[in-house]
Amino acid sequence: MRKTTLILVLFMSSIVCWSSEPITDYRNPKIAIDVRIQDLLSRMTLEEKIGQMNQFVGLKHIQKNMGVLTEEELKTNTANAFYPGVSIRSLEEITKNGLIGSYLHVLTIEEANYLQSLAMKSRLQIPILFGIDAIHGNANAPDNTVYPTNIGLASSFDVPMAYTIARQTAKEMRAMNMHWTFNPNVEVARDPRWGRVGETFGEDPYLVSLMGAASVKGYQGNLNSDDNVLACIKHFVGGSQSINGTNGAPTDLSERTIREVFFPPFKAGVDAGAMSIMMAHNELNGIPCHSNEWLMKDVLRDEWKFKGFVVSDWMDIEHIYDLHATAENKKEAYYQSIMAGMDLHMHGVDWNNLVVELVKEGRISERRIDESVRKILDIKFRLGLFENPYADENQTMKIRLNPEHRTTALEASRNSIVLLKNKNILPIAPKIKNVLVTGINANDQNILGDWSAVQKDENVITILQGLQMIAPNVKYKFVDQGWNPQKMDSKQVDKAAELAKSSDLNIVVAGEYMMRHRWNEKTSGEDKDRSDIYLVGLQEELIRKVAASGKPTVLILVTGRPLSIERVLDNVDAVVLAWEPGMYGGQAIAEILYGKINPSAKLPVSIPRNAGQIQMIYNHKPSQYFHPYAVGSSEPLFPFGYGLSYNTYKYSNLKLSKANISKTENITVSVDITNMGKMDGFEIAQMYIRDRFSQVTRPVKELKDFARVSLKPGETKTVKFSITPEKLTFLDKKLNPIVESGEFIVMVGSSSQDNDLMKDSFFVKE
Ligand code: BGC
């Protein structure tokens, strides 16, 4: 039987089976969800309830890993899993018996429909909720649109684009029967050694909050139609500033910093309606996040009134015992986590039995279990899974990778690429006919970035292909450096250096390696943290030797994390930071190099010169550089908000609508921006504020508004920014929100560095 026919038969039989049963409340879509939940709960056994709180990895995923992974590797590998000693058959049985609520790492519609068909054989036919890391499009599964990763998206400062990408991703997910994305990552990134910076929207809490909230709204819509998915804000909290920059290491942060820097994007996500949140791997001030009652109950539920469910991260409840050692065994770890507020367990087979034991022993009440199950069922009802548990295999490719989504991916990519240096070499002049192209990322799918599977070649435009497509009359000499920066061959480096001498221009495409199918070789992305932030391997040598040809040299960086290129910056004429630009990255980069597109993106993170400068952030406290480093600079290599265009933009006429306000009034700030160049362009104009004197120390500047302004050559536009009491609020000595009277400095311009900013000030009166 063909798979589609099989699905149809299973679907029809489920309808027959439903209609032959008496009409019961929970199956009736016309009655209120609360009533349906209550009815369903009253029919569920304790085992079924606890199963709803559990998740497994997909069967194909397990099959693939059983042959390859050792049990030793399993302990630290957070991308792959299998359950030693447990057969596929027994997982199928558990599913058929209605004892599992969710799956993750299911990568095809066929497998999702198959697992769902097993759940439809269970007593109560509660549908499976499929979760997946659809971080930049549903890229982890094949044949989906792959957009730039979040750090690139943040570089565009294009908040509506974040919404659009999330909306399109939701449609592609539902087209393959996936219901829950583990995104947006709304962690504030403050350490480039950490491999996951690419998943984030950068270092500024305001920008991260806006991007995160727009993504949540895009994914979820009103959470009641068949093209909405559940969003998951993660990881709560602090993992982006671990004490040594490595993923999951301890985090030690004052409550002030947690509340001022790390909480706001999560609060914005909750306010935007996010109905799931994932806890962070790390311990926070001595308490693992996964057993942290303050986070899960006091803050999330009581302060923020979060109504969704909390999910654990990969084996992190187990790590309360086998890593943090604040529980003596797994069962105790489950106990601590549930009692602290955990609702859903990612992932594994021991949960069901041990949690049932905890309830039977009277340590956890069934009422506590019901609280979690209610929230999980609520999502399944809202998403319509009881009515439509399957996706249509005949329709799926009409939605995935459709032309509209591809166009968005290309546009997002164009807007995410940051031009960092240009010594009059870009756009590439028509007289350039002979170009050397080399470097690990020149002709590789690595442009897709972390959290992407290998995609069909026809759906990816590499950088070399993009150049050939956009400027087909140029002759390209390509010297392959392999994909692995740690295994470069000096002979190939020398070959490129030799050929560079006879080119008109050289393009070196350097950076990190992020593709997760080569988990052990990745240098950036999840679990790939570094003790320095220079280019890995022979890449600097390659750049130096190629540039020594005396021919103009352009450096393109493909990377998830900020990299320092200080040691080769003077060797090259131009630098383009492409981040992880997605499936059309090669085209977008080529269009920028040849001047078909004017670069507009700006940095959502500061780029340090070296790891020793960390923490390097623009919104630091006033005393941070009171004593500058005795040896070496205290300045970043490139500041937050910085990025070049082929135009220059002039800022003039800065005006404030009022010079004095009360604590409840707003101010409008306006500025004229003129395109002084010859191309159409977008300028990302930024407004920062500083509270001049305050009862606790405040940052030297904080981004409070920005605008992407399109300008034709010679055109001037007046841009308005808003200052509201909320934007002036900070936490007083006792951590209570307050607006203080006194002077506030307003800074407006093209980046966060003082030379790029115009200044004025206003007073808040008592
Ligand atoms: C990551 C999460 C991710 C989960 C499922 C974990 O290792 O930390 O961000 O959602 O795996 O893939």
Side-chain angles (χ1 to χ4, degrees):
M1 205 178 332
R2 288 193 42 222
K3 272 184 197 149
T4 42
T5 331
L6 172 69
I7 295 303
L8 197 65
V9 169
L10 291 167
F11 182 55
M12 294 308 291
S13 61
S14 80
I15 291 175
V16 172
C17 161
W18 277 30
S19 55
S20 61
E21 295 230 345
I23 303 296
T24 55
D25 282 357
Y26 83 92
R27 295 176 186 197
N28 182 353
K30 297 209 176 91
I31 60 175
I33 286 179
D34 286 1
V35 181
R36 297 178 81 182
I37 294 173
Q38 201 44 48
D39 177 66
L40 179 51
L41 268 179
S42 70
R43 295 161 194 264
M44 290 171 78
T45 63
L46 178 64
E47 286 75 8
E48 285 165 339
K49 290 177 183 176
I50 288 166
Q52 284 301 308
M53 296 168 71
N54 199 13
Q55 187 176 53
F56 290 158
V57 291
L59 305 183
K60 293 270 180 261
H61 178 96
I62 292 179
Q63 268 161 345
K64 192 176 94 202
N65 289 315
M66 281 210 282
V68 202
L69 279 181
T70 63
E71 289 198 30
E72 207 39 49
E73 274 178 296
L74 267 189
K75 290 187 185 145
T76 52
N77 192 319
T78 56
N80 297 300
F82 70 96
Y83 306 131
V86 179
S87 68
I88 298 288
R89 174 61 68 81
S90 62
L91 295 177
E92 288 175 333
E93 281 306 309
I94 296 175
T95 313
K96 265 196 239 168
N97 291 332
L99 295 174
I100 186 75
S102 177
Y103 270 89
L104 85 159
H105 288 343
V106 170
L107 300 181
T108 63
I109 178 172
E110 289 82 7
E111 188 182 351
N113 279 342
Y114 171 67
L115 287 166
Q116 199 66 291
S117 75
L118 297 180
M120 288 304 119
K121 291 193 176 128
S122 67
R123 201 172 70 85
L124 297 166
Q125 297 179 315
I126 303 175
I128 298 286
L129 183 76
F130 291 101
I132 190 162
D133 291 277
I135 309 289
H136 49 124
N138 195 8
N140 237 8
D143 301 331
N144 288 307
T145 309
V146 185
Y147 306 88
T149 58
N150 289 343
I151 195 74
L153 184 51
S155 305
S156 71
F157 284 69
D158 189 347
V159 178
M161 179 60 92
Y163 175 87
T164 303
I165 290 177
R167 194 79 292 284
Q168 294 180 356
T169 302
K171 290 181 184 168
E172 297 203 5
M173 287 176 66
R174 287 305 289 269
M176 16 180 351
N177 212 7
M178 310 277 149
H179 320 121
W180 177 22
T181 173
F182 304 132
N183 200 44
N185 181 325
V186 292
E187 293 179 89
V188 174
R190 298 180 126 200
D191 192 331
R193 296 172 301 176
W194 186 53
R196 305 189 76 166
V197 173
E199 279 175 56
T200 76
F201 297 110
E203 79 187 28
D204 181 71
Y206 179 73
L207 178 61
V208 178
S209 298
L210 293 183
M211 287 283 176
S215 304
V216 167
K217 288 183 183 155
Y219 289 127
Q220 292 195 168
N222 51 13
L223 255 190
N224 70 1
S225 95
D226 60 6
D227 66 7
N228 296 163
V229 297
L230 173 63
C232 181
I233 46 177
K234 70 183 189 185
H235 307 84
F236 201 48
V237 65
S240 52
Q241 196 181 312
S242 69
I243 54 171
N244 58 7
T246 65
N247 199 31
T251 292
D252 214 311
L253 293 170
S254 71
E255 186 173 345
R256 174 171 300 283
T257 302
I258 295 173
R259 287 190 177 275
E260 286 179 349
V261 177
F262 293 92
F263 274 179
F266 284 92
K267 173 72 167 51
V270 170
D271 291 346
M275 289 297 279
S276 78
I277 187 167
M278 191 185 292
M279 299 311 288
H281 295 312
N282 51 283
E283 61 157 276
L284 178 65
N285 302 336
I287 300 175
C289 290
H290 280 70
S291 54
N292 197 314
E293 191 171 334
W294 177 64
L295 290 176
M296 287 188 263
K297 279 198 181 150
D298 301 352
V299 174
L300 262 181
R301 303 268 176 219
D302 297 346
E303 270 185 51
W304 298 354
K305 314 288 174 218
F306 173 63
K307 296 278 179 283
F309 65 79
V310 182
V311 59
S312 61
D313 200 353
W314 192 269
M315 307 309 288
D316 277 323
I317 308 184
E318 286 74 1
H319 290 335
I320 299 173
Y321 148 62
D322 61 24
L323 183 64
H324 302 295
T326 50
E328 285 184 11
N329 51 47
K330 228 186 239 187
K331 183 167 163 184
E332 199 55 29
Y334 292 154
Y335 171 77
Q336 287 185 10
S337 192
I338 293 173
M339 294 316 279
M342 183 61 66
D343 298 304
L344 199 148
H345 170 239
M346 177 198 290
H347 60 94
V349 285
D350 295 329
W351 172 270
N352 292 36
N353 291 341
L354 293 178
V355 179
V356 167
E357 276 177 31
L358 285 164
V359 177
K360 291 199 168 151
E361 286 161 9
R363 297 189 66 203
I364 299 180
S365 70
E366 190 157 349
R367 180 189 283 202
R368 168 66 194 88
I369 297 296
D370 285 355
E371 265 176 39
S372 294
V373 179
R374 203 170 263 125
K375 291 176 212 139
I376 295 160
L377 293 177
D378 176 57
I379 296 300
K380 294 185 176 185
F381 278 118
R382 289 212 217 183
L383 289 173
L385 304 187
F386 282 83
E387 287 71 44
N388 292 309
Y390 300 108
D392 187 340
E393 290 170 27
N394 291 319
Q395 297 298 314
T396 184
M397 287 319 297
K398 294 199 175 126
I399 295 163
R400 294 154 64 192
L401 277 170
N402 74 40
E404 186 195 340
H405 297 186
R406 287 173 185 263
T407 305
T408 304
L410 176 59
E411 194 192 335
S413 187
R414 288 168 173 160
N415 295 346
S416 70
I417 296 166
V418 193
L419 179 61
L420 292 177
K421 173 177 179 178
N422 187 14
K423 245 172 61 190
N424 290 329
I425 191 69
L426 298 179
I428 298 174
K431 65 171 197 244
I432 303 280
K433 290 288 172 230
N434 221 322
V435 173
L436 169 78
V437 182
T438 191
I440 58 154
N441 287 317
N443 195 24
D444 196 277
Q445 284 214 3
N446 189 35
I447 51 170
L448 295 173
D450 191 17
W451 295 108
S452 178
V454 174
Q455 300 288 339
K456 289 196 182 105
D457 281 337
E458 71 211 45
N459 290 328
V460 183
I461 300 180
T462 69
I463 296 172
L464 181 63
Q465 288 164 348
L467 293 166
Q468 287 161 340
M469 185 174 121
I470 298 301
N473 297 329
V474 172
K475 196 166 154 247
Y476 298 99
K477 291 174 283 182
F478 172 56
V479 182
D480 195 353
Q481 302 293 341
W483 55 267
N484 187 343
Q486 302 186 75
K487 292 212 172 131
M488 287 173 70
D489 179 350
S490 57
K491 285 202 205 79
Q492 286 301 98
V493 171
D494 292 341
K495 186 173 167 197
E498 193 50 41
L499 281 175
K501 293 179 192 157
S502 56
S503 325
D504 302 332
L505 176 93
N506 305 310
I507 298 177
V508 183
V509 192
E512 299 276 29
Y513 191 76
M514 281 84 63
M515 297 294 281
R516 35 182 63 218
H517 71 289
R518 291 176 175 138
W519 183 258
N520 294 333
E521 286 87 16
K522 289 193 321 167
T523 59
S524 176
E526 190 189 10
D527 295 345
K528 301 299 157 182
D529 315 302
R530 294 192 39 206
S531 56
D532 73 56
I533 53 168
Y534 297 129
L535 287 164
V536 172
L538 302 181
Q539 298 191 87
E540 288 191 358
E541 187 178 327
L542 174 69
I543 295 163
R544 274 194 211 102
K545 285 190 167 168
V546 165
S549 64
K551 299 298 169 60
T553 299
V554 177
L555 172 61
I556 297 171
L557 294 170
V558 176
T559 174
R561 68 151 58 74
L563 282 170
S564 171
I565 46 157
E566 187 186 27
R567 303 192 298 203
V568 288
L569 187 56
D570 290 341
N571 300 67
V572 297
D573 299 273
V575 181
V576 174
L577 172 56
W579 297 118
E580 300 164 292
M583 64 192 288
Y584 290 123
Q587 178 176 341
I589 291 165
E591 288 172 335
I592 286 179
L593 294 188
Y594 282 102
K596 311 259 182 242
I597 294 289
N598 193 354
S600 59
K602 307 241 181 171
L603 291 175
V605 279
S606 311
I607 300 195
R609 293 167 187 274
N610 50 57
Q613 282 188 323
I614 295 166
Q615 179 187 72
M616 171 59 72
I617 51 172
Y618 86 92
N619 47 359
H620 56 77
K621 297 291 183 68
S623 57
Q624 179 121 335
Y625 300 106
F626 177 50
H627 294 297
Y629 293 116
V631 179
S633 167
S634 298
E635 299 290 319
L637 186 58
F638 297 104
F640 177 89
Y642 170 86
L644 302 171
S645 150
Y646 295 145
N647 295 329
T648 51
Y649 299 98
K650 192 179 97 196
Y651 284 71
S652 60
N653 217 5
L654 177 65
K655 280 190 201 142
L656 273 54
S657 61
K658 293 171 199 153
N660 298 294
I661 54 168
S662 72
K663 289 182 179 172
T664 54
E665 278 180 288
N666 297 338
I667 291 195
T668 303
V669 176
S670 68
V671 72
D672 292 346
I673 307 179
T674 308
N675 179 351
M676 309 296 285
K678 295 197 174 77
M679 290 178 76
D680 289 358
F682 278 93
E683 164 67 343
I684 297 165
Q686 302 150 46
M687 181 192 72
Y688 300 87
I689 293 183
R690 177 175 185 177
D691 190 345
R692 191 66 191 85
F693 297 101
S694 41
Q695 60 169 278
V696 296
T697 60
R698 300 288 298 135
V700 291
K701 50 178 82 93
E702 287 179 294
L703 185 71
K704 291 295 176 183
D705 208 352
F706 55 84
R708 286 188 94 238
V709 192
S710 77
L711 288 160
K712 304 220 162 295
E715 188 183 12
T716 299
K717 275 188 185 159
T718 303
V719 177
K720 293 198 166 140
F721 302 107
S722 80
I723 300 176
T724 58
E726 196 194 346
K727 293 182 183 179
L728 304 179
T729 304
F730 66 95
L731 302 179
D732 70 9
K733 287 183 184 161
K734 296 201 166 138
L735 297 178
N736 295 315
I738 183 179
V739 178
E740 271 188 350
S741 56
E743 186 183 11
F744 287 81
I745 299 172
V746 178
M747 295 158 266
V748 173
S750 60
S751 90
S752 68
Q753 76 191 343
D754 284 330
N755 290 344
D756 290 334
L757 293 167
M758 299 179 76
K759 295 190 180 138
D760 201 342
S761 66
F762 65 92
F763 286 84
V764 174
K765 302 284 181 197
E766 255 329 310

